[in-house]
Amino acid sequence: MFGRLVVHVLAVLAVVAALSLTGPGVQNAAAVSACSGRPAKTVGFATGELRLYKTRQYVCALAVAKQPGTRRAMSVSLQPRGGRAAVDKGRFIRQAGPVTVHALNRCVRASGSIAGKSASTGWILC
């Protein structure tokens, strides 16, 4: 009797463990953005994308590689009109950023580069 109970408990634990690893709560890490807010603009270029997200008061930017995996030079810059630019640059595998600026009632401009290829916006989100 005790042996059947142990087998039953182990079977239930195995099912619970399998469901917790593959259930609806698990998300693909690539699909989750490091920025909060709604997507405001995406500018594609040869080696990646410049992505901007907006909340009521803030704008956030990322430069995301099309083919992550090798460490290479990347940068992202985000500047509110009349303010200083927030910059993240270095040698990254997947993305540069996020960088965030306060932009309530202010235009912003953004630029991003990955492995020598780049994209930029003019003054947007005014």
Side-chain angles (χ1 to χ4, degrees):
M1 182 70 167
F2 180 72
R4 285 182 57 192
L5 179 63
V6 169
V7 170
H8 182 62
V9 168
L10 289 176
V12 169
L13 287 175
V15 169
V16 168
L19 288 175
S20 67
L21 292 176
T22 61
V26 176
Q27 295 178 349
N28 183 354
V32 177
S33 173
C35 289
S36 63
R38 63 177 172 80
K41 186 164 187 79
T42 300
V43 181
F45 54 100
T47 54
E49 291 181 334
L50 175 61
R51 298 179 186 169
L52 281 84
Y53 297 83
K54 182 167 178 51
T55 63
R56 183 174 182 277
Q57 294 184 355
Y58 293 93
V59 177
C60 179
L62 301 164
V64 181
K66 277 186 182 175
Q67 296 180 344
T70 59
R71 191 169 295 276
R72 57 198 145 170
M74 297 186 193
S75 69
V76 64
S77 171
L78 182 61
Q79 180 182 9
R81 191 181 292 266
R84 295 180 58 117
V87 177
D88 184 25
K89 65 180 179 178
R91 295 182 60 80
F92 304 111
I93 294 172
R94 183 177 181 274
Q95 72 182 33
V99 292
T100 303
V101 296
H102 187 266
L104 181 63
N105 300 323
R106 292 170 36 174
C107 304
V108 296
R109 66 179 170 190
S111 65
S113 72
I114 298 173
K117 307 295 182 188
S118 63
S120 61
T121 67
W123 292 107
I124 60 170
L125 306 178
C126 298

